[in-house]
Amino acid sequence: MSRHFTAQMSMRAGRWRLYVVLFNTTEQWPEHRFGRSVPTFTDRTDALSVLGFEPVPGAVWEWTEDSETPDDPASQVVLIAAIRVRSWSAVSV
């Protein structure tokens, strides 16, 4: 059975960053940094592939809005995208 993970994408310091969340481990989370423009679906899929992951069949990117400063309605908005992924090594299992 393959293990599923969550990949997230957010912007920090004007640059987009994609990372795979690895809970309950001391391993560094796989990460890819993009430029300033919003990465396309293909850009994101290619980056996941480079990191050794792929979207789980049927999974879609879900966008959510957060704030830079919690509980401050005037705070700058932070967009976060997430998708369920599986590792390439788990695909053949």
Side-chain angles (χ1 to χ4, degrees):
M1 172 178 243
S2 65
R3 291 182 56 204
H4 293 176
F5 304 91
T6 299
Q8 294 183 329
M9 188 176 74
S10 62
M11 182 186 278
R12 274 282 177 227
R15 302 226 181 250
W16 287 95
R17 173 176 85 113
L18 172 71
Y19 50 93
V20 179
V21 179
L22 302 177
F23 288 119
N24 301 319
T25 181
T26 57
E27 293 180 48
Q28 184 172 344
W29 292 0
E31 181 178 319
H32 180 84
R33 293 183 183 267
F34 297 99
R36 296 187 179 277
S37 61
V38 179
T40 66
F41 176 82
T42 302
D43 294 337
R44 290 176 260 157
T45 303
D46 290 348
L48 283 170
S49 180
V50 168
L51 296 175
F53 294 85
E54 69 177 2
V56 171
V60 296
W61 285 94
E62 296 180 16
W63 290 82
T64 187
E65 184 178 302
D66 201 357
S67 60
E68 189 71 35
T69 307
D71 300 323
D72 179 1
S75 176
Q76 184 176 15
V77 171
V78 177
L79 292 176
I80 302 169
I83 191 169
R84 297 295 291 163
V85 297
R86 62 186 179 182
S87 69
W88 281 110
S89 61
V91 172
S92 60
V93 176

